[in-house]
Amino acid sequence: MRIDKYLWCVRYFKTRNIATTACKKGHVKVNDTVVKASREVYPTDTIVLRKDQVNYTLTVLDIPPNRVGAKLVDIYRVDKTPKSAFEAQEMLKLAKDYYRKKGVGRPTKKDRRDLDDLALENEQ
């Protein structure tokens, strides 16, 4: 089975087109080699996939006949992604949300002054 179809079947991507694009961009490696979307996948292959700033590591157990339900995904792969990768993603989300919520508007005078003070502290 093709790597893009496999990643779509085991629900790492919502569409095959998105999976193919990820392969073209070099976000997918099989056995430590960057692969094209047409690369065949076999049981015992190790896949490293970069998605949402997290490097997922999975091992292929079996090839699904077609797209499977979320409860059946574990039959076809073993996820070996370390927990620290997800913790780093959570910290990144918190860092983005800390200053101002999206859509709140322009910075106020006080916000601008605080930013200027922060920039001066970092220069010293």
Side-chain angles (χ1 to χ4, degrees):
M1 177 180 281
R2 293 169 50 114
I3 182 71
D4 61 340
K5 188 173 182 181
Y6 178 80
L7 292 173
W8 170 74
C9 285
V10 294
R11 300 185 163 268
Y12 276 92
F13 292 104
K14 193 171 184 179
T15 64
R16 263 189 79 183
N17 191 21
I18 297 170
T20 304
T21 304
C23 292
K24 286 180 182 176
K25 289 182 178 179
H27 296 294
V28 179
K29 294 180 183 179
V30 176
N31 299 328
D32 297 326
T33 306
V34 176
V35 295
K36 293 182 180 180
S38 60
R39 162 71 154 73
E40 291 290 319
V41 178
Y42 303 102
T44 70
D45 280 349
T46 302
I47 301 172
V48 177
L49 163 71
R50 181 146 178 92
K51 181 182 168 197
D52 298 331
Q53 297 183 347
V54 175
N55 288 327
Y56 293 92
T57 307
L58 34 135
T59 304
V60 179
L61 295 178
D62 197 9
I63 306 299
N66 51 17
R67 189 166 166 99
V68 295
K71 292 181 180 179
L72 302 176
V73 169
D74 291 331
I75 297 170
Y76 300 104
R77 60 102 174 123
V78 174
D79 194 351
K80 296 181 178 178
T81 308
K83 298 287 184 197
S84 60
F86 296 110
E87 291 169 2
Q89 183 187 27
E90 197 64 34
M91 291 300 290
L92 188 65
K93 283 182 184 177
L94 292 174
K96 286 182 181 178
D97 292 339
Y98 174 71
Y99 182 61
R100 215 173 42 240
K101 297 289 182 191
K102 183 177 178 181
V104 171
R106 292 176 55 183
T108 63
K109 247 185 200 180
K110 182 181 182 325
D111 292 337
R112 184 185 54 78
R113 288 181 183 145
D114 289 343
L115 285 171
D116 290 343
D117 290 343
L118 186 65
L120 287 175
E121 289 175 13
N122 287 336
E123 288 177 2
Q124 293 173 359

